[in-house]
Amino acid sequence: MDNMTLPHDLELSRITSDKLAALKTILKEMNSAVVAYSGGVDSAFLLKAAVDELGDRVLAVTADSKTIPRAELEAATRLARLLGARHLIVNTNELSDPQFAANQPDRCYHCKKALFATLTKIARDKQIDYVIEGSNLSDLSDYRPGMKAVDQFRVRSPLKEAGLTKDEIRFLSREAGLPTWDKPAAPCLSSRIPYGSKITEERLRRIEAAEAFLHELGFRVLRVRDHGPVARIEVPKADLPRMLTDDLSQRVGEKLRELGFQYVTVDLSGFRSGSLNEALVRKPDGQE
């Protein structure tokens, strides 16, 4: 959603009324919950809804990982405080897991498996009834190996259970006054590295620095894909003319080469969320 506008507000208002009521009922019946909270659109809305229904019987837990930009962690912390939520930050170290670092197509499963194992233990130790996370109905159309871990640990997905789509969550977030309503998707930095190419802390840091630099230049929606010596920049097609101006392209090239890339390219197809999945060959059943 590059321009962050929502289609058919009146229609969304009609549709979401019943779904919001269903979400409230689902959460209220849980009694208490640990929320897997990243600070993104979905988890932020889920946290607010949970706090509204359950108050201090909700605990937001955020993973502090080398795969998460510092700016994202800081923003999640500020928002949790704004919502009045109890908030716990736990350190995770995915890079110590060879299966994660190897960066095969099931990489997200290994990350989520470790996360939900941690959250399940926290819930058990604190006598909290459920662990919940922010997947929604729109996620069913995407390749998400992490959902296997959701099922494995019996984590619940109240937004999906209530039938809410991404557009509807953005609409309800805006209605609720959440600053995340139009926030671009911000998957972990590992998603910028092609499958089969090893994830290292050095690569994650240069991706983070490169994207932070482009954000400072005013590009809101972007990815810097790390193809070893090559940085492939994705921005929405509407932003391509600005990116390709002589002065700006020179500044970007110089900065990214300073960060360790040998070559800097701009993808003329524009920004596509999950574009590295384009290289995957799907089997008929949708599994890799």
Side-chain angles (χ1 to χ4, degrees):
M1 189 178 287
D2 297 347
N3 57 5
M4 295 303 156
T5 58
L6 293 171
H8 315 304
D9 278 4
L10 290 177
E11 182 68 11
L12 282 173
S13 179
R14 182 185 65 79
I15 293 171
T16 56
S17 178
D18 289 343
K19 293 184 180 182
L20 182 58
L23 176 63
K24 291 180 177 180
T25 298
I26 291 167
L27 292 169
K28 191 173 296 184
E29 290 176 349
M30 287 184 174
N31 187 54
S32 61
V34 167
V35 180
Y37 169 65
S38 67
V41 177
D42 302 320
S43 69
F45 177 70
L46 178 60
L47 178 58
K48 175 172 172 44
V51 170
D52 285 349
E53 296 305 314
L54 301 175
D56 62 6
R57 288 174 287 158
V58 172
L59 175 64
V61 180
T62 302
D64 181 1
S65 163
K66 290 180 171 60
T67 69
I68 304 299
R70 295 301 87 190
E72 289 294 316
L73 183 62
E74 292 165 4
T77 300
R78 288 194 300 271
L79 182 55
R81 189 180 304 120
L82 179 67
L83 295 176
R86 293 193 298 149
H87 187 209
L88 177 65
I89 297 174
V90 295
N91 292 313
T92 57
N93 187 17
E94 296 91 341
L95 293 181
S96 66
D97 180 352
Q99 292 181 296
F100 177 85
N103 195 23
Q104 295 304 308
D106 65 347
R107 176 197 68 230
C108 288
Y109 164 70
H110 299 291
C111 174
K112 295 296 186 184
K113 179 182 177 182
L115 175 64
F116 291 135
T118 299
L119 268 55
T120 299
K121 183 178 186 306
I122 290 171
R124 183 172 59 247
D125 291 347
K126 295 183 178 295
Q127 297 184 315
I128 296 175
D129 295 293
Y130 290 94
V131 175
I132 62 177
E133 60 90 43
S135 296
N136 63 75
L137 208 60
S138 300
D139 294 329
L140 296 177
S141 62
D142 195 8
Y143 173 60
R144 291 181 178 265
M147 293 308 297
K148 179 181 175 183
V150 171
D151 295 336
Q152 181 178 348
F153 286 90
R154 299 185 178 181
V155 174
R156 290 184 62 177
S157 308
L159 303 178
K160 187 163 61 177
E161 291 177 30
L164 285 162
T165 66
K166 191 73 168 190
D167 277 352
E168 291 164 353
I169 292 164
R170 288 190 183 276
F171 172 80
L172 289 169
S173 295
R174 188 180 66 184
E175 294 294 292
L178 285 172
T180 49
W181 79 268
D182 63 346
K183 182 178 180 178
C188 81
L189 295 171
S190 303
S191 67
R192 299 359 175 224
I193 301 174
Y195 294 122
S197 185
K198 188 174 181 180
I199 300 169
T200 66
E201 184 173 359
E202 179 185 12
R203 296 180 82 172
L204 296 173
R205 295 289 68 79
R206 73 177 181 178
I207 294 167
E208 180 178 9
E211 293 192 350
F213 177 71
L214 292 174
H215 282 305
E216 290 171 3
L217 292 177
F219 294 97
R220 188 162 184 250
V221 179
L222 63 97
R223 296 286 186 272
V224 176
R225 309 292 186 186
D226 184 328
H227 297 266
V230 179
R232 176 169 59 88
I233 299 171
E234 293 180 14
V235 295
K237 286 187 176 181
D239 288 338
L240 284 174
R242 178 169 175 251
M243 174 63 75
L244 295 172
T245 58
D246 290 343
D247 177 62
L248 195 59
S249 62
Q250 182 176 340
R251 288 178 62 192
V252 171
E254 289 174 354
K255 178 63 176 179
L256 269 62
R257 282 190 290 272
E258 178 186 310
L259 292 172
F261 293 103
Q262 290 178 256
Y263 308 100
V264 181
T265 67
V266 177
D267 192 324
L268 298 182
S269 295
F271 169 79
R272 289 100 67 213
S273 182
S275 71
L276 291 178
N277 288 341
E278 294 167 3
L280 296 176
V281 178
R282 300 289 184 88
K283 296 179 181 180
D285 64 356
Q287 299 300 310
E288 301 308 316

